[in-house]
C-alpha cells in the first residue's frame, strides 16, 4: 500500500487539536473517497475547508440525532414585538435551529451554512445572557463588521451554542 489511504493516530490527534470530537472526526473520515484519509489529505482542505466540512457533518449529525436534553430559548424577531419560545437540544446553534424550524428561518437566513462566513444570522443577545457567552472569535468579529444594525451585544447566531447554562435565554 502507499500509506495514503488511512485514518491514523496522527490524523485523529490533528483533528482533536482542532477541537473536533471523535464522532465528527469519524464523519470527516467518511467524507473522503474510500472512507479514509492521510494527514496531508485533511490538511489539504485548509482551515476554512475543514471548518465547512465539520459544520456540514455536525448539521447532519444534529438532523439525524435524537437529543435527550432540551432547553428553552426565547427569540424576539425585530420589528414584530413578539417573543417566540422554542425548545432546542443542548449543544445546538441558532443556525441549526433555523434549519429545523420554519418560524425561526423566516427571520434568519444563515447563508454560509453556519461557518461564520456571512452575517445573515446576526442576532442581538439580551445583555444579561451576552455576558455568559464565550468571547467571539476573530472570523465572527470580522463578519459582524459587515452586519447591519450591530450593537454591543451582537453575535452571529451560528456561533452561539446553546448549553444547559442558557436554558431560558
Amino acid at each position: 500500500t502507499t500509506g495514503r489511504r488511512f485514518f491514523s493516530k496522527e490524523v485523529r490527534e490533528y483533528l482533536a487539536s482542532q477541537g473536533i470530537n471523535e464522532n465528527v472526526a469519524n464523519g470527516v473520515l467518511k467524507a473522503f473517497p474510500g472512507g479514509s484519509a492521510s494527514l496531508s489529505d485533511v490538511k489539504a482542505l485548509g482551515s476554512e475547508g475543514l471548518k465547512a466540512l465539520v459544520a456540514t457533518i455536525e448539521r447532519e449529525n444534529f438532523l439525524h440525532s435524537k437529543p435527550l436534553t432540551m432547553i428553552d430559548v426565547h427569540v424576539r424577531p425585530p420589528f414584530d414585538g413578539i417573543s417566540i419560545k422554542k425548545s432546542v437540544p443542548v449543544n445546538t446553534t441558532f443556525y441549526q435551529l433555523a434549519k429545523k424550524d420554519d418560524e425561526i428561518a423566516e427571520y434568519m437566513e444563515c447563508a454560509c451554512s453556519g461557518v461564520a462566513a456571512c452575517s445573515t444570522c446576526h442576532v442581538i443577545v439580551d445583555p444579561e445572557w451576552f455576558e455568559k457567552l464565550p468571547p467571539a472569535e476573530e472570523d465572527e468579529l470580522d463578519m459582524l463588521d459587515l452586519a447591519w444594525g450591530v450593537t454591543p451585544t451582537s453575535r452571529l447566531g451560528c456561533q452561539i451554542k446553546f448549553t444547559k447554562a442558557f436554558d431560558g435565554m
Side-chain angles (χ1 to χ4, degrees), residues 8-78:
S8 69
K9 179 180 175 189
E10 184 178 52
V11 174
R12 288 184 187 279
E13 288 173 354
Y14 173 74
L15 293 173
S17 76
Q18 301 302 303
I20 299 170
N21 70 44
E22 187 175 339
N23 187 35
V24 174
N26 288 333
V28 169
L29 165 66
K30 291 176 185 174
F32 283 89
S36 62
S38 69
L39 182 57
S40 62
D41 291 333
V42 174
K43 286 186 172 182
L45 293 172
S47 64
E48 291 304 310
L50 181 59
K51 191 173 183 179
L53 178 57
V54 165
T56 300
I57 292 165
E58 287 176 335
R59 179 177 163 267
E60 288 301 311
N61 288 348
F62 170 74
L63 293 173
H64 296 100
S65 67
K66 293 188 168 78
L68 301 174
T69 306
M70 304 291 280
I71 64 167
D72 291 330
V73 296
H74 301 270
V75 180
R76 288 188 296 268

Side-chain angles (χ1 to χ4, degrees), residues 15 24 29 36 57 61 75 81 83 90-91 99-100 103 126 128-129 133 142 159:
L15 293 173
V24 174
L29 165 66
S36 62
I57 292 165
N61 288 348
V75 180
S83 180
V90 168
N91 293 323
K99 291 302 172 192
K100 282 191 88 164
E103 187 176 22
D126 185 289
E128 168 190 351
W129 294 101
L133 292 171
D142 290 344
Q159 302 302 299

